[in-house]
Amino acid sequence: MKTYELIAPCHFGLEAVLKREIDDLGYDISKTEDGRVTFVGDMEALCRANVFLRSAERILLKAGSFTARTFDELFECTKALPWEEWIPKDGKVWVTKASTVKSKLYSSSDIQSIMKKAIVERLKSAYHTEVIPETGASYPVRVFAMKDEFTVGIDSTGESLHKRGYRQSTTKAPISETLASALIMLTPWKKDRILVDPFCGSGTFAIEAAMMAANMAPGMNRSFLSESWKNLIPKKTWYDAMDEANDLVDLSVKTDIQGYDIDPSAVRMARENAQRAGVDYMIHLQQRPVSALSHPGKYGFIITNPPYGERLEEKADLPELYRTIGDRFAKLDTWSMYLITSYEDAQNAIGKKADKNRKIYNGMIKTYYYQYIGPKPPRREQRTSEI
């Protein structure tokens, strides 16, 4: 099968997590940039990446890259790409997004309009027709430009990969599924370790962790736009990827994953979402304030997304809230805590400097992932010999 370059965008600051995921799937990485990783693979790789990658936002089939400093150059360079290799005569094509950084061309709407005209002109010439009917499958194009260097990709995913299909109920400040997964993968948490989220909201951390524990592929219960690309991807390729995902699921796994929230409606939403994800039996969800956070087990993990105080009326409550987090964590002396927040004074309020601190953009909000790393548990054979 022919190979292509495939582009996987991700949250800024989490490229290393995505690289590890792609490597684990067995594909060679050709380029890593801020917010995206490019790798080499065939159409099977495109299908498997959509189904299995937890931290990617979408998968793009790279059409090409070029330098353009004027709209004339943009038109000609776009037109020079072999669009007929990917888009059939009746294909519906449009430039759905254009983003630029430090480039002479910065008007997204103008870039979109000019590139669309160039693509249509190329297709009309290739198919020897005066009209491209655009009645067939959809081939949305996404464009990134950095210092006049344009990268062009065709979106194979459709709705972003964070749309797993289970989260129909959300709280007012939910963390995305892709970001939650990436943050869990930045920790040493494994399915045999305790995980507690004391600000569980709609349950995303707990649900993503449970899906990881049961080896459930994040994309196994949703559809993808490129399933209609019959000119490029045989239906069997999609069936094979889904069959692989189903074969890997282990519903017998035993876990200790807990989610608390002071808001009863959030707990109800989390339960509904966990049921839709098929992991409700793996998660204990309960209405409880963070001041009641406790657990009899050792060597557990707190992984959480507490309030940031983005609303002015909430800011005054943050010092006391984060002091409470610090007090409860201090009593769990063998535990680790991983906490994402934009609250700049979080470490002072918690009363302890984080062992590691990672800057991550949660949407347009600059956040910090504070990592308080606890002791490793004794090796299993040592624990057994001590009994």
Side-chain angles (χ1 to χ4, degrees):
M1 203 179 280
K2 184 177 178 182
T3 60
Y4 304 86
E5 280 197 295
L6 304 171
I7 304 169
C10 65
H11 282 270
F12 284 93
L14 296 172
E15 298 83 6
V17 176
L18 179 53
K19 281 175 67 177
R20 188 166 69 241
E21 279 202 277
I22 293 168
D23 187 59
D24 287 346
L25 275 183
Y27 302 116
D28 292 329
I29 292 160
S30 56
K31 192 174 187 181
T32 303
E33 303 162 272
D34 286 345
R36 60 185 182 273
V37 178
T38 303
F39 61 103
V40 178
D42 54 16
M43 285 301 164
E44 179 188 82
L46 181 144
C47 297
R48 293 182 73 233
N50 271 301
V51 172
F52 286 101
L53 291 179
R54 299 183 189 277
S55 60
E57 295 298 313
R58 60 185 66 251
I59 305 299
L60 309 177
L61 173 60
K62 185 175 178 180
S65 58
F66 51 78
T67 301
R69 296 182 179 85
T70 68
F71 286 121
D72 284 343
E73 288 178 346
L74 179 66
F75 182 90
E76 294 302 331
C77 290
T78 303
K79 187 179 175 184
L81 298 176
W83 293 101
E84 65 278 7
E85 285 188 17
W86 314 295
I87 302 171
K89 188 175 182 178
D90 65 347
K92 181 182 179 182
V93 61
W94 72 101
V95 181
T96 183
K97 185 172 183 181
S99 55
T100 67
V101 178
K102 297 178 182 177
S103 294
K104 288 185 171 59
L105 304 180
Y106 54 84
S107 167
S108 295
S109 59
D110 287 337
I111 291 168
Q112 289 170 287
S113 174
I114 287 165
M115 291 188 72
K116 160 78 176 191
K117 288 176 185 174
I119 295 167
V120 169
E121 284 301 312
R122 172 76 187 211
L123 293 175
K124 283 162 62 175
S125 175
Y127 292 121
H128 308 290
T129 181
E130 289 300 313
V131 178
I132 299 297
E134 298 198 86
T135 54
S138 295
Y139 298 79
V141 174
R142 289 180 171 252
V143 186
F144 318 94
M146 169 65 81
K147 296 181 180 178
D148 306 321
E149 181 69 24
F150 283 73
T151 301
V152 185
I154 306 170
D155 180 15
S156 75
T157 303
E159 276 200 306
S160 170
L161 289 175
H162 81 267
K163 300 271 188 165
R164 316 287 207 220
Y166 67 75
R167 200 171 76 176
Q168 294 173 26
S169 306
T170 61
T171 50
K172 64 184 178 182
I175 193 167
S176 81
E177 295 88 329
T178 46
L179 179 55
S181 273
L183 295 178
I184 294 169
M185 287 188 282
L186 276 173
T187 79
W189 178 80
K190 302 294 180 196
K191 60 189 176 185
D192 61 344
R193 305 280 293 275
I194 304 160
L195 189 155
V196 175
D197 179 1
F199 299 93
C200 73
S202 50
T204 310
F205 273 125
I207 293 168
E208 291 293 319
M211 289 176 69
M212 289 180 193
N215 217 8
M216 288 183 178
M220 63 186 295
N221 292 316
R222 57 160 287 169
S223 58
F224 305 96
L225 182 145
S226 53
E227 288 179 57
S228 62
W229 291 1
K230 295 181 175 62
N231 60 316
L232 291 174
I233 310 174
K235 269 288 181 193
K236 185 179 184 302
T237 309
W238 281 109
Y239 292 146
D240 288 346
M242 289 299 185
D243 286 347
E244 180 187 359
N246 279 297
D247 289 345
L248 290 171
V249 175
D250 177 10
L251 297 179
S252 67
V253 66
K254 298 290 189 287
T255 60
D256 187 349
I257 299 172
Q258 304 188 17
Y260 312 142
D261 204 286
I262 196 170
D263 181 356
S265 65
V267 176
R268 186 183 67 252
M269 289 178 198
R271 286 201 180 105
E272 291 170 357
N273 292 335
Q275 286 170 355
R276 273 188 290 270
V279 295
D280 50 308
Y281 70 98
M282 298 171 63
I283 303 170
H284 174 70
L285 295 162
Q286 183 181 358
Q287 182 189 356
R288 187 195 289 192
V290 68
S291 59
L293 171 62
S294 65
H295 196 290
K298 291 184 174 294
Y299 306 106
F301 287 78
I302 297 168
I303 304 179
T304 193
N305 175 41
Y308 299 175
E310 293 303 314
R311 293 178 176 84
L312 282 175
E313 64 270 21
E314 296 172 347
K315 281 194 182 296
D317 299 331
L318 290 186
E320 180 59 31
L321 178 67
Y322 281 77
R323 271 196 294 274
T324 304
I325 294 170
D327 289 345
R328 301 316 301 171
F329 174 55
K331 296 190 184 327
L332 298 165
D333 58 344
T334 62
W335 281 47
S336 301
M337 181 167 70
Y338 294 79
L339 179 150
I340 183 171
T341 181
S342 66
Y343 179 42
E344 300 268 353
D345 208 31
Q347 293 179 100
N348 285 337
I350 288 169
K352 186 178 181 182
K353 190 174 187 296
D355 298 296
K356 291 184 180 179
N357 178 9
R358 195 182 193 108
K359 184 165 69 175
I360 294 166
Y361 279 87
N362 184 2
M364 298 304 292
I365 303 171
K366 183 174 71 173
T367 62
Y368 299 91
Y369 193 39
Y370 296 110
Q371 301 165 62
Y372 295 88
I373 302 168
K376 291 181 180 179
R379 293 177 63 178
R380 193 174 299 277
E381 51 269 35
Q382 289 175 338
R383 293 205 299 269
T384 304
S385 66
E386 291 166 1
I387 295 172

